[in-house]
Amino acid sequence: MRSGIRQLTIVDSDRVCITNINRQLMATTKTVGQVKVDALKERLLSINPKAEITALQQIFSEETAESFELDTYDYIIDAIDSLKDKAALILLACKTKAKFFSSMGAALKLDPTRIKVTEFWKVQGDPLARAIRKKFKHYGQFPEKKFQVVYSDELLDNLGRQPDDEEVPSTFNKPQTNGSLAHITAIFGFTLAGLVISDAGQRASTDR
């Protein structure tokens, strides 16, 4: 909103939980229990009341993918936790005209200087990227175009479930995962936003 983006669709099925307060913009003691996308929409509109924000309290999956009309977007950002759904979005988004960016694992990372941007198949040292590549090989399907990802090559002891474990429902029907810290998730998010802003700027310059 502060960088001139006026049309935005945000997708999340959860409600704000007290454990989100340490790292999520819309999560405060006053918004606990609210639908996350609604709380975020309200926050963003307080920054730019003229913004056009669509808030979808949904889960993206192979079953729901058609309802998202991915072909209508200029940019698509993946920040999905579920391995299966993440792989599905990558495969489908890479078939569209949209510029696509993806976030790899931010959980348990501590060192902000280890966060990088590279093409997906060049990622090294990230267990989530490795698990996604494994999924693609299992499916026998691969992304139809190259795309950049934000990742960290910092490796620490895993305290939760591995990315390719069978997912066991936890809070809000999500798998149990490792925790993450505000400065790391913020850098991941701002980097993804920066990639969009940079690409949009380059497109605007070319169109002049």
Side-chain angles (χ1 to χ4, degrees):
M1 300 300 103
R2 292 188 171 106
S3 299
I5 301 297
R6 291 189 58 225
Q7 294 178 316
L8 182 68
T9 297
I10 50 179
V11 181
D12 197 296
S13 64
D14 286 355
R15 292 179 178 271
V16 177
C17 177
I18 195 168
T19 58
N20 302 142
I21 293 176
N22 75 317
R23 67 190 185 281
Q24 295 181 5
L25 176 67
M26 70 292 180
T28 68
T29 54
K30 293 182 179 180
T31 61
V32 169
Q34 293 183 19
V35 173
K36 276 189 179 181
V37 289
D38 291 343
L40 181 57
K41 179 178 180 178
E42 182 178 352
R43 179 73 172 89
L44 295 175
L45 287 175
S46 71
I47 297 171
N48 182 0
K50 295 182 179 180
E52 300 172 19
I53 302 173
T54 301
L56 302 177
Q57 189 190 11
Q58 298 180 30
I59 292 176
F60 180 92
S61 66
E62 288 182 296
E63 295 73 27
T64 64
E66 188 173 343
S67 68
F68 286 88
E69 300 181 332
L70 295 181
D71 285 316
T72 64
Y73 293 95
D74 296 315
Y75 294 92
I76 299 172
I77 295 178
D78 155 51
I80 295 177
D81 294 329
S82 161
L83 181 60
K84 180 181 177 182
D85 296 338
K86 193 177 193 73
L89 177 57
I90 291 172
L91 291 173
L92 291 171
C94 286
K95 293 180 180 180
T96 72
K97 63 178 178 58
K99 187 76 174 182
F100 176 66
F101 300 106
S102 180
S103 172
M104 295 294 105
L108 284 179
K109 309 301 183 181
L110 296 172
D111 186 350
T113 67
R114 303 287 289 273
I115 298 172
K116 305 176 182 181
V117 176
T118 194
E119 196 274 319
F120 172 71
W121 293 101
K122 295 181 179 179
V123 174
Q124 296 183 346
D126 183 279
L128 181 56
R130 183 171 63 248
I132 295 169
R133 290 194 287 259
K134 183 178 177 181
K135 274 284 186 187
F136 291 152
K137 292 176 182 177
H138 175 73
Y139 292 154
Q141 300 180 56
F142 299 90
E144 294 187 7
K145 61 185 178 183
K146 293 182 178 180
F147 60 96
Q148 288 184 302
V149 303
V150 179
Y151 77 104
S152 169
D153 62 4
E154 182 181 17
L155 292 175
L156 300 172
D157 291 337
N158 193 309
L159 302 179
R161 302 181 63 81
Q162 296 294 331
D164 53 354
D165 283 348
E166 290 296 322
E167 294 177 354
V168 178
S170 181
T171 306
F172 302 121
N173 295 317
K174 294 181 67 175
Q176 295 177 358
T177 56
N178 293 296
S180 52
L181 295 173
H183 67 290
I184 297 296
T185 54
I187 294 171
F188 268 66
F190 278 123
T191 303
L192 288 163
L195 291 171
V196 172
I197 300 289
S198 177
D199 186 81
Q202 291 175 14
R203 292 190 187 189
S205 297
T206 302
D207 293 340
R208 289 175 183 171

